[in-house]
Amino acid sequence: DAINDGSSWRVMTNNVELAFNMLQLTLLDPPPAIAANWERQFGLLENAVDDVSTAVSNDASMSQLKTRVSAAKKQTLVVYRMVR
């Protein structure tokens, strides 16, 4: 886990990969049954990922970075459960 290794560079490269994967997801149409909730939850996930990126770019403390990564992980689980 990059955050526990104390490597903001590794967190940033993981964040870039995640952003690419999210871009791919935006190209898909969600099933009608979850479309409205998907837009809202996916938007929250995009914001959480952006927060991680901003924290790394601003050279945030490891504690602040861990908080943002934790929030992004939680939102990832929300989105995952929607499509599972």
Side-chain angles (χ1 to χ4, degrees):
D1 183 65
I3 204 75
N4 289 327
D5 291 343
S7 171
S8 60
W9 174 252
R10 188 165 166 216
V11 172
M12 187 57 153
T13 58
N14 289 349
N15 201 48
V16 168
E17 182 178 352
L18 179 58
F20 175 75
N21 293 339
M22 290 176 61
L23 175 63
Q24 291 177 311
L25 287 172
T26 63
L27 300 174
L28 302 174
D29 293 324
I34 66 166
N37 196 29
W38 171 263
E39 295 297 327
R40 187 170 64 84
Q41 296 300 334
F42 193 77
L44 291 172
L45 179 57
E46 288 177 313
N47 292 343
V49 171
D50 287 346
D51 286 348
V52 172
S53 180
T54 299
V56 172
S57 296
N58 291 339
D59 203 24
S61 70
M62 202 48 66
S63 174
Q64 292 169 327
L65 193 52
K66 284 181 180 183
T67 298
R68 286 169 178 81
V69 168
S70 178
K73 283 181 176 181
K74 287 177 185 175
Q75 188 58 30
T76 299
L77 287 174
V78 170
V79 172
Y80 174 74
R81 288 182 187 124
M82 290 178 62
V83 297
R84 201 169 69 146

